[in-house]
Amino acid sequence: MSVQSTESLQKMYESLAEKDKRHFMHPTTSLKQQQQQGPGLIFTEGKGIYLKDIRGEEYIDSLSSLWNVNIGHGRKELGEAAMAQMQKLAFSSTFATNSHEPVIELAEKVAQMAPGDLTMTFFTSGGSEANDTAFKTVRYYWQLKGQPEKKKIISRKKSYHGVAVGATSATGLPAFRSFPSLAPDFYYVDSTIESLKEMIEREGAETIAAFISEPVQGSGGVNPPPENYFQQVRDICDEHNILFIADEVITGFGRTGKTFGMEHFGVTPDVMCMAKGITSGYAPLGGMVISEKLRDELIDLSDGAYMHGYTYSGHPMCCAVALKNLEIIEQEGLVENVRRMGEEIEKGFHWLQERHEGIGNIRGIGLLRAFEIFEDKESKKRYEDPVSPKVAEEAMKRNMVGRSIIYEGQDTIALAPPFCITKEEVEKVITILDECLTAVKRNGNLSS
C-alpha cells in the first residue's frame, strides 16, 4: 500500500471519527471515552471469520461480533435473499390476523427445529424484546388462569437477558441493573438447586410466574450449569406450577454443537427465547416460542386480543434472511463443524494451560468457550488488577478482536468464533492468545 493511499485512508478515518463523536450514541460504551478517543475500529467489510477496518487492516473476529455472526461474514446468499424479498414485499403488518409467506414458512421451520412441543413463535426484532415478550406472556397466562398474583420472575445471578426494561430487570449482572430504572417482581438466585428451592419457599410458589435461564451463561462468563441442574429445575417447576423459560438467544441454532443448548440436558422448557443465530446477525430478528400446551390454554382462556406486538414482528425481509441462514447451516453441516472445532479450541486451551501458569477453569461447550486467569490457581485467588483486559488489548495489537469478561470479579477470556472456522484458523487464534499471555507476563502483569 502506498504512503499516499495510507494517508488517504487515515483522513477518511478521521473524518468519520469526528462525525461519530458528534452524532452516534454508542451502546454499552463510556460516553466520556467516546468523546475523548473517538471510535476504535471502523469496520467496512468481512469474510468468514475476518473483518476489515477502514484502514485496510484485517482482524480475526473471535466472538462472532456479539455472539451472533454464526455462519461467518460476507455470505452473499443472505444479501440476495434480502434483496429478493424486499423487491417482492418489503413490509406488511402481521397485526390482526394478517400474515405473509416468509413469516409462516419461518414459524414452521422453527417448530421443526425446536425441541419437544415448542411449536408456536411470536417474532420480535431481537433478544431483549423476545425476553420481554416472554415475561408479559407468562404473566398474561396466569392472569387468564385466575392467578394474577403469579407474576414474579426468577433468574440466575451472572445471567444476561437483554437491556429492555423487563430484560434488564431479569439480568443477574448488577452492572446492568444499576442503569435506571428496573421493573418490579424480579428475583435472583445462585446457580444451585438449594438457592432456587429457598427462593420458592420464601416468596411462595403461588406468587411466581416463571424461572428463566440461559443453557450456558454467555455475557456472564460462559458458565455451563452444574451437573443435572436443569433436570432438577424442570422437576421443581413442574412440582410448584412454575413455567420454565429458556433464553437461547446466544446458544440457539447451533452455537453449542446442538440446535438448541437445552438439548444437551434433555430438558424442554415451556417457553424458549431466541435471536442472534437465527439470522447470523444479517438482519435483526428474535422470537418467543411456546409449547403446544401453553398455546392451547392461551387460545381457550382468552376472549379479547393478545395486546402485545411490535411494528416489525415477523418482518418479511428478516424472515427471508433467517430461512436462507438456517438452510446454509443445515446444508453445510455447520453444527457438526461447531462440535469438531469446539474440541480443537478446548485442546488449545489446555495447551495454553501447560505453557502459562495461572490459566484455569477451562469451560464451555461447542463454540462457546472460556478460560480464567488466576494469580493462584489452587486457591482460585485472582489478581487485584484483572489481567484478561490486558490480554484482549494485546490481541487487538495482533489483529484479533477478543472478549474479556470481568463481571462479578471474574477474569475471563471468552471465544465464540463463527461456525465456519477451520482447524488452521483455530490454531492461529490459540497462537495469538499464547503471544498475548507471553506479552502480558513480560510486562509484569502475570506471575512468572
mmCIF file of all heavy atoms in Angstrom, residues 160-198:
data_model
loop_
_atom_site.group_PDB
_atom_site.id
_atom_site.type_symbol
_atom_site.label_atom_id
_atom_site.label_comp_id
_atom_site.label_asym_id
_atom_site.label_seq_id
_atom_site.Cartn_x
_atom_site.Cartn_y
_atom_site.Cartn_z
ATOM 1 N N TYR A 160 -27.534 -12.981 31.733
ATOM 2 C CA TYR A 160 -27.768 -11.795 30.912
ATOM 3 C C TYR A 160 -28.969 -12.079 30.021
ATOM 4 O O TYR A 160 -28.986 -13.065 29.285
ATOM 5 C CB TYR A 160 -26.554 -11.455 30.041
ATOM 6 C CG TYR A 160 -26.804 -10.242 29.168
ATOM 7 C CD1 TYR A 160 -26.662 -8.961 29.674
ATOM 8 C CD2 TYR A 160 -27.223 -10.393 27.844
ATOM 9 C CE1 TYR A 160 -26.924 -7.850 28.887
ATOM 10 C CE2 TYR A 160 -27.482 -9.288 27.057
ATOM 11 C CZ TYR A 160 -27.333 -8.018 27.584
ATOM 12 O OH TYR A 160 -27.607 -6.922 26.806
ATOM 13 N N HIS A 161 -29.974 -11.188 30.089
ATOM 14 C CA HIS A 161 -31.191 -11.408 29.319
ATOM 15 C C HIS A 161 -31.585 -10.217 28.455
ATOM 16 O O HIS A 161 -32.663 -10.217 27.864
ATOM 17 C CB HIS A 161 -32.341 -11.777 30.259
ATOM 18 C CG HIS A 161 -32.098 -13.041 31.027
ATOM 19 N ND1 HIS A 161 -32.004 -14.270 30.402
ATOM 20 C CD2 HIS A 161 -31.892 -13.266 32.349
ATOM 21 C CE1 HIS A 161 -31.759 -15.203 31.319
ATOM 22 N NE2 HIS A 161 -31.684 -14.616 32.504
ATOM 23 N N GLY A 162 -30.718 -9.198 28.354
ATOM 24 C CA GLY A 162 -31.012 -8.064 27.489
ATOM 25 C C GLY A 162 -31.121 -6.759 28.244
ATOM 26 O O GLY A 162 -30.883 -6.689 29.451
ATOM 27 N N VAL A 163 -31.494 -5.693 27.521
ATOM 28 C CA VAL A 163 -31.495 -4.367 28.133
ATOM 29 C C VAL A 163 -32.810 -3.603 27.994
ATOM 30 O O VAL A 163 -32.871 -2.422 28.316
ATOM 31 C CB VAL A 163 -30.333 -3.498 27.587
ATOM 32 C CG1 VAL A 163 -28.994 -4.054 28.022
ATOM 33 C CG2 VAL A 163 -30.399 -3.385 26.069
ATOM 34 N N ALA A 164 -33.870 -4.233 27.496
ATOM 35 C CA ALA A 164 -35.185 -3.622 27.631
ATOM 36 C C ALA A 164 -35.526 -3.613 29.122
ATOM 37 O O ALA A 164 -34.863 -4.275 29.917
ATOM 38 C CB ALA A 164 -36.225 -4.403 26.838
ATOM 39 N N VAL A 165 -36.549 -2.865 29.522
ATOM 40 C CA VAL A 165 -36.803 -2.707 30.954
ATOM 41 C C VAL A 165 -36.997 -4.047 31.653
ATOM 42 O O VAL A 165 -36.380 -4.321 32.684
ATOM 43 C CB VAL A 165 -38.012 -1.782 31.196
ATOM 44 C CG1 VAL A 165 -38.376 -1.759 32.680
ATOM 45 C CG2 VAL A 165 -37.705 -0.368 30.732
ATOM 46 N N GLY A 166 -37.830 -4.915 31.087
ATOM 47 C CA GLY A 166 -38.028 -6.222 31.695
ATOM 48 C C GLY A 166 -36.787 -7.090 31.602
ATOM 49 O O GLY A 166 -36.396 -7.748 32.573
ATOM 50 N N ALA A 167 -36.138 -7.088 30.442
ATOM 51 C CA ALA A 167 -34.951 -7.915 30.234
ATOM 52 C C ALA A 167 -33.805 -7.481 31.149
ATOM 53 O O ALA A 167 -33.080 -8.313 31.703
ATOM 54 C CB ALA A 167 -34.520 -7.847 28.770
ATOM 55 N N THR A 168 -33.638 -6.171 31.319
ATOM 56 C CA THR A 168 -32.621 -5.668 32.249
ATOM 57 C C THR A 168 -32.926 -6.125 33.666
ATOM 58 O O THR A 168 -32.036 -6.536 34.418
ATOM 59 C CB THR A 168 -32.561 -4.132 32.218
ATOM 60 O OG1 THR A 168 -32.186 -3.690 30.918
ATOM 61 C CG2 THR A 168 -31.558 -3.592 33.228
ATOM 62 N N SER A 169 -34.192 -6.067 34.036
ATOM 63 C CA SER A 169 -34.599 -6.436 35.387
ATOM 64 C C SER A 169 -34.363 -7.913 35.654
ATOM 65 O O SER A 169 -34.131 -8.311 36.809
ATOM 66 C CB SER A 169 -36.077 -6.085 35.594
ATOM 67 O OG SER A 169 -36.298 -4.706 35.356
ATOM 68 N N ALA A 170 -34.406 -8.737 34.622
ATOM 69 C CA ALA A 170 -34.147 -10.175 34.780
ATOM 70 C C ALA A 170 -32.662 -10.493 34.759
ATOM 71 O O ALA A 170 -32.255 -11.570 35.206
ATOM 72 C CB ALA A 170 -34.858 -10.953 33.671
ATOM 73 N N THR A 171 -31.852 -9.589 34.240
ATOM 74 C CA THR A 171 -30.412 -9.830 34.125
ATOM 75 C C THR A 171 -29.776 -9.900 35.511
ATOM 76 O O THR A 171 -29.983 -9.021 36.353
ATOM 77 C CB THR A 171 -29.761 -8.722 33.275
ATOM 78 O OG1 THR A 171 -30.195 -8.885 31.917
ATOM 79 C CG2 THR A 171 -28.244 -8.806 33.324
ATOM 80 N N GLY A 172 -28.987 -10.935 35.743
ATOM 81 C CA GLY A 172 -28.394 -11.153 37.059
ATOM 82 C C GLY A 172 -27.092 -10.434 37.301
ATOM 83 O O GLY A 172 -26.464 -10.629 38.339
ATOM 84 N N LEU A 173 -26.654 -9.590 36.356
ATOM 85 C CA LEU A 173 -25.406 -8.843 36.498
ATOM 86 C C LEU A 173 -25.716 -7.442 37.018
ATOM 87 O O LEU A 173 -26.326 -6.635 36.313
ATOM 88 C CB LEU A 173 -24.679 -8.761 35.155
ATOM 89 C CG LEU A 173 -24.263 -10.111 34.554
ATOM 90 C CD1 LEU A 173 -23.850 -9.948 33.102
ATOM 91 C CD2 LEU A 173 -23.118 -10.719 35.362
ATOM 92 N N PRO A 174 -25.322 -7.112 38.257
ATOM 93 C CA PRO A 174 -25.678 -5.829 38.859
ATOM 94 C C PRO A 174 -25.263 -4.609 38.043
ATOM 95 O O PRO A 174 -25.930 -3.576 38.102
ATOM 96 C CB PRO A 174 -24.939 -5.868 40.205
ATOM 97 C CG PRO A 174 -24.817 -7.318 40.525
ATOM 98 C CD PRO A 174 -24.596 -7.980 39.195
ATOM 99 N N ALA A 175 -24.184 -4.711 37.279
ATOM 100 C CA ALA A 175 -23.731 -3.553 36.497
ATOM 101 C C ALA A 175 -24.809 -3.069 35.538
ATOM 102 O O ALA A 175 -24.968 -1.865 35.327
ATOM 103 C CB ALA A 175 -22.471 -3.928 35.721
ATOM 104 N N PHE A 176 -25.564 -3.992 34.971
ATOM 105 C CA PHE A 176 -26.640 -3.606 34.056
ATOM 106 C C PHE A 176 -27.848 -3.070 34.823
ATOM 107 O O PHE A 176 -28.525 -2.157 34.362
ATOM 108 C CB PHE A 176 -27.052 -4.791 33.180
ATOM 109 C CG PHE A 176 -26.031 -5.148 32.141
ATOM 110 C CD1 PHE A 176 -25.072 -6.116 32.399
ATOM 111 C CD2 PHE A 176 -26.010 -4.510 30.909
ATOM 112 C CE1 PHE A 176 -24.113 -6.442 31.447
ATOM 113 C CE2 PHE A 176 -25.062 -4.824 29.953
ATOM 114 C CZ PHE A 176 -24.109 -5.793 30.221
ATOM 115 N N ARG A 177 -28.109 -3.629 35.998
ATOM 116 C CA ARG A 177 -29.279 -3.207 36.770
ATOM 117 C C ARG A 177 -29.087 -1.857 37.446
ATOM 118 O O ARG A 177 -30.049 -1.275 37.937
ATOM 119 C CB ARG A 177 -29.653 -4.265 37.806
ATOM 120 C CG ARG A 177 -30.015 -5.623 37.197
ATOM 121 C CD ARG A 177 -30.888 -6.431 38.139
ATOM 122 N NE ARG A 177 -30.343 -6.534 39.474
ATOM 123 C CZ ARG A 177 -29.483 -7.469 39.887
ATOM 124 N NH1 ARG A 177 -29.057 -8.392 39.030
ATOM 125 N NH2 ARG A 177 -29.066 -7.503 41.128
ATOM 126 N N SER A 178 -27.856 -1.352 37.472
ATOM 127 C CA SER A 178 -27.620 -0.039 38.066
ATOM 128 C C SER A 178 -28.063 1.086 37.147
ATOM 129 O O SER A 178 -28.139 2.241 37.554
ATOM 130 C CB SER A 178 -26.129 0.134 38.401
ATOM 131 O OG SER A 178 -25.350 0.170 37.213
ATOM 132 N N PHE A 179 -28.375 0.766 35.902
ATOM 133 C CA PHE A 179 -28.846 1.757 34.930
ATOM 134 C C PHE A 179 -30.361 1.875 35.089
ATOM 135 O O PHE A 179 -31.072 0.885 34.968
ATOM 136 C CB PHE A 179 -28.487 1.289 33.513
ATOM 137 C CG PHE A 179 -28.610 2.349 32.458
ATOM 138 C CD1 PHE A 179 -27.553 3.186 32.175
ATOM 139 C CD2 PHE A 179 -29.788 2.506 31.751
ATOM 140 C CE1 PHE A 179 -27.656 4.157 31.187
ATOM 141 C CE2 PHE A 179 -29.909 3.477 30.768
ATOM 142 C CZ PHE A 179 -28.836 4.310 30.486
ATOM 143 N N PRO A 180 -30.885 3.073 35.376
ATOM 144 C CA PRO A 180 -32.323 3.188 35.708
ATOM 145 C C PRO A 180 -33.209 2.941 34.500
ATOM 146 O O PRO A 180 -32.801 3.202 33.372
ATOM 147 C CB PRO A 180 -32.437 4.647 36.182
ATOM 148 C CG PRO A 180 -31.336 5.367 35.469
ATOM 149 C CD PRO A 180 -30.210 4.390 35.347
ATOM 150 N N SER A 181 -34.441 2.494 34.754
ATOM 151 C CA SER A 181 -34.902 2.003 36.049
ATOM 152 C C SER A 181 -35.424 0.597 35.857
ATOM 153 O O SER A 181 -35.684 0.177 34.735
ATOM 154 C CB SER A 181 -36.020 2.906 36.594
ATOM 155 O OG SER A 181 -37.132 2.875 35.712
ATOM 156 N N LEU A 182 -35.630 -0.117 36.947
ATOM 157 C CA LEU A 182 -35.999 -1.519 36.863
ATOM 158 C C LEU A 182 -37.502 -1.731 37.010
ATOM 159 O O LEU A 182 -38.210 -0.913 37.592
ATOM 160 C CB LEU A 182 -35.267 -2.304 37.955
ATOM 161 C CG LEU A 182 -33.736 -2.273 37.908
ATOM 162 C CD1 LEU A 182 -33.172 -3.071 39.075
ATOM 163 C CD2 LEU A 182 -33.220 -2.820 36.584
ATOM 164 N N ALA A 183 -37.947 -2.843 36.477
ATOM 165 C CA ALA A 183 -39.336 -3.259 36.659
ATOM 166 C C ALA A 183 -39.444 -4.066 37.950
ATOM 167 O O ALA A 183 -38.463 -4.649 38.410
ATOM 168 C CB ALA A 183 -39.794 -4.104 35.474
ATOM 169 N N PRO A 184 -40.615 -4.109 38.552
ATOM 170 C CA PRO A 184 -40.783 -4.877 39.794
ATOM 171 C C PRO A 184 -40.900 -6.369 39.544
ATOM 172 O O PRO A 184 -41.067 -6.821 38.415
ATOM 173 C CB PRO A 184 -42.086 -4.311 40.362
ATOM 174 C CG PRO A 184 -42.864 -3.899 39.147
ATOM 175 C CD PRO A 184 -41.842 -3.396 38.159
ATOM 176 N N ASP A 185 -40.809 -7.126 40.624
ATOM 177 C CA ASP A 185 -41.120 -8.562 40.650
ATOM 178 C C ASP A 185 -40.087 -9.435 39.948
ATOM 179 O O ASP A 185 -40.424 -10.451 39.343
ATOM 180 C CB ASP A 185 -42.518 -8.817 40.063
ATOM 181 C CG ASP A 185 -43.604 -8.096 40.842
ATOM 182 O OD1 ASP A 185 -43.581 -8.194 42.084
ATOM 183 O OD2 ASP A 185 -44.454 -7.437 40.216
ATOM 184 N N PHE A 186 -38.817 -9.034 40.029
ATOM 185 C CA PHE A 186 -37.733 -9.873 39.524
ATOM 186 C C PHE A 186 -36.821 -10.258 40.684
ATOM 187 O O PHE A 186 -36.469 -9.428 41.523
ATOM 188 C CB PHE A 186 -36.938 -9.145 38.436
ATOM 189 C CG PHE A 186 -37.683 -9.045 37.129
ATOM 190 C CD1 PHE A 186 -38.552 -7.980 36.893
ATOM 191 C CD2 PHE A 186 -37.538 -10.016 36.148
ATOM 192 C CE1 PHE A 186 -39.248 -7.887 35.698
ATOM 193 C CE2 PHE A 186 -38.238 -9.931 34.954
ATOM 194 C CZ PHE A 186 -39.095 -8.865 34.724
ATOM 195 N N TYR A 187 -36.415 -11.537 40.713
ATOM 196 C CA TYR A 187 -35.640 -12.081 41.822
ATOM 197 C C TYR A 187 -34.489 -12.915 41.260
ATOM 198 O O TYR A 187 -34.575 -13.459 40.152
ATOM 199 C CB TYR A 187 -36.532 -12.928 42.728
ATOM 200 C CG TYR A 187 -37.630 -12.130 43.390
ATOM 201 C CD1 TYR A 187 -38.791 -11.784 42.688
ATOM 202 C CD2 TYR A 187 -37.500 -11.699 44.704
ATOM 203 C CE1 TYR A 187 -39.797 -11.031 43.283
ATOM 204 C CE2 TYR A 187 -38.504 -10.947 45.313
ATOM 205 C CZ TYR A 187 -39.645 -10.616 44.593
ATOM 206 O OH TYR A 187 -40.628 -9.864 45.180
ATOM 207 N N TYR A 188 -33.414 -13.061 42.060
ATOM 208 C CA TYR A 188 -32.184 -13.682 41.560
ATOM 209 C C TYR A 188 -31.703 -14.754 42.525
ATOM 210 O O TYR A 188 -31.745 -14.571 43.746
ATOM 211 C CB TYR A 188 -31.099 -12.615 41.370
ATOM 212 C CG TYR A 188 -31.657 -11.355 40.757
ATOM 213 C CD1 TYR A 188 -32.021 -10.283 41.565
ATOM 214 C CD2 TYR A 188 -31.887 -11.266 39.384
ATOM 215 C CE1 TYR A 188 -32.581 -9.140 41.025
ATOM 216 C CE2 TYR A 188 -32.450 -10.121 38.834
ATOM 217 C CZ TYR A 188 -32.807 -9.072 39.657
ATOM 218 O OH TYR A 188 -33.382 -7.945 39.119
ATOM 219 N N VAL A 189 -31.236 -15.861 41.964
ATOM 220 C CA VAL A 189 -30.734 -16.966 42.774
ATOM 221 C C VAL A 189 -29.353 -17.383 42.295
ATOM 222 O O VAL A 189 -28.979 -17.153 41.136
ATOM 223 C CB VAL A 189 -31.677 -18.191 42.718
ATOM 224 C CG1 VAL A 189 -33.012 -17.864 43.357
ATOM 225 C CG2 VAL A 189 -31.870 -18.683 41.277
ATOM 226 N N ASP A 190 -28.588 -17.987 43.198
ATOM 227 C CA ASP A 190 -27.320 -18.600 42.809
ATOM 228 C C ASP A 190 -27.599 -19.803 41.907
ATOM 229 O O ASP A 190 -28.734 -20.287 41.842
ATOM 230 C CB ASP A 190 -26.553 -19.076 44.045
ATOM 231 C CG ASP A 190 -26.113 -17.918 44.922
ATOM 232 O OD1 ASP A 190 -25.826 -16.845 44.377
ATOM 233 O OD2 ASP A 190 -26.072 -18.098 46.159
ATOM 234 N N SER A 191 -26.565 -20.283 41.266
ATOM 235 C CA SER A 191 -26.732 -21.421 40.354
ATOM 236 C C SER A 191 -26.703 -22.745 41.104
ATOM 237 O O SER A 191 -25.965 -23.671 40.756
ATOM 238 C CB SER A 191 -25.648 -21.383 39.272
ATOM 239 O OG SER A 191 -25.817 -20.249 38.453
ATOM 240 N N THR A 192 -27.534 -22.818 42.144
ATOM 241 C CA THR A 192 -27.680 -24.063 42.887
ATOM 242 C C THR A 192 -29.164 -24.380 43.029
ATOM 243 O O THR A 192 -29.998 -23.464 43.089
ATOM 244 C CB THR A 192 -27.065 -23.967 44.293
ATOM 245 O OG1 THR A 192 -27.789 -22.974 45.051
ATOM 246 C CG2 THR A 192 -25.595 -23.577 44.228
ATOM 247 N N ILE A 193 -29.478 -25.632 43.100
ATOM 248 C CA ILE A 193 -30.870 -26.041 43.299
ATOM 249 C C ILE A 193 -31.363 -25.584 44.669
ATOM 250 O O ILE A 193 -32.523 -25.180 44.832
ATOM 251 C CB ILE A 193 -30.997 -27.568 43.149
ATOM 252 C CG1 ILE A 193 -30.773 -27.965 41.667
ATOM 253 C CG2 ILE A 193 -32.361 -28.052 43.619
ATOM 254 C CD1 ILE A 193 -31.772 -27.346 40.694
ATOM 255 N N GLU A 194 -30.480 -25.622 45.659
ATOM 256 C CA GLU A 194 -30.864 -25.202 47.007
ATOM 257 C C GLU A 194 -31.315 -23.746 47.020
ATOM 258 O O GLU A 194 -32.308 -23.387 47.683
ATOM 259 C CB GLU A 194 -29.684 -25.397 47.969
ATOM 260 C CG GLU A 194 -29.332 -26.845 48.257
ATOM 261 C CD GLU A 194 -28.666 -27.544 47.075
ATOM 262 O OE1 GLU A 194 -28.090 -26.829 46.214
ATOM 263 O OE2 GLU A 194 -28.743 -28.789 46.996
ATOM 264 N N SER A 195 -30.607 -22.896 46.275
ATOM 265 C CA SER A 195 -30.949 -21.476 46.232
ATOM 266 C C SER A 195 -32.320 -21.268 45.601
ATOM 267 O O SER A 195 -33.120 -20.444 46.070
ATOM 268 C CB SER A 195 -29.887 -20.710 45.444
ATOM 269 O OG SER A 195 -30.174 -19.332 45.391
ATOM 270 N N LEU A 196 -32.611 -22.028 44.550
ATOM 271 C CA LEU A 196 -33.921 -21.925 43.896
ATOM 272 C C LEU A 196 -35.038 -22.399 44.829
ATOM 273 O O LEU A 196 -36.080 -21.746 44.957
ATOM 274 C CB LEU A 196 -33.927 -22.740 42.605
ATOM 275 C CG LEU A 196 -35.248 -22.781 41.832
ATOM 276 C CD1 LEU A 196 -35.700 -21.381 41.437
ATOM 277 C CD2 LEU A 196 -35.103 -23.673 40.583
ATOM 278 N N LYS A 197 -34.806 -23.518 45.499
ATOM 279 C CA LYS A 197 -35.812 -24.036 46.429
ATOM 280 C C LYS A 197 -36.089 -23.037 47.553
ATOM 281 O O LYS A 197 -37.238 -22.813 47.944
ATOM 282 C CB LYS A 197 -35.339 -25.363 47.018
ATOM 283 C CG LYS A 197 -35.392 -26.541 46.057
ATOM 284 C CD LYS A 197 -34.899 -27.813 46.746
ATOM 285 C CE LYS A 197 -35.019 -29.022 45.836
ATOM 286 N NZ LYS A 197 -34.509 -30.266 46.491
ATOM 287 N N GLU A 198 -35.018 -22.434 48.074
ATOM 288 C CA GLU A 198 -35.175 -21.457 49.157
ATOM 289 C C GLU A 198 -35.969 -20.239 48.686
ATOM 290 O O GLU A 198 -36.809 -19.717 49.431
ATOM 291 C CB GLU A 198 -33.797 -21.028 49.658
ATOM 292 C CG GLU A 198 -33.077 -22.102 50.456
ATOM 293 C CD GLU A 198 -31.624 -21.746 50.734
ATOM 294 O OE1 GLU A 198 -31.213 -20.606 50.389
ATOM 295 O OE2 GLU A 198 -30.891 -22.603 51.279
#
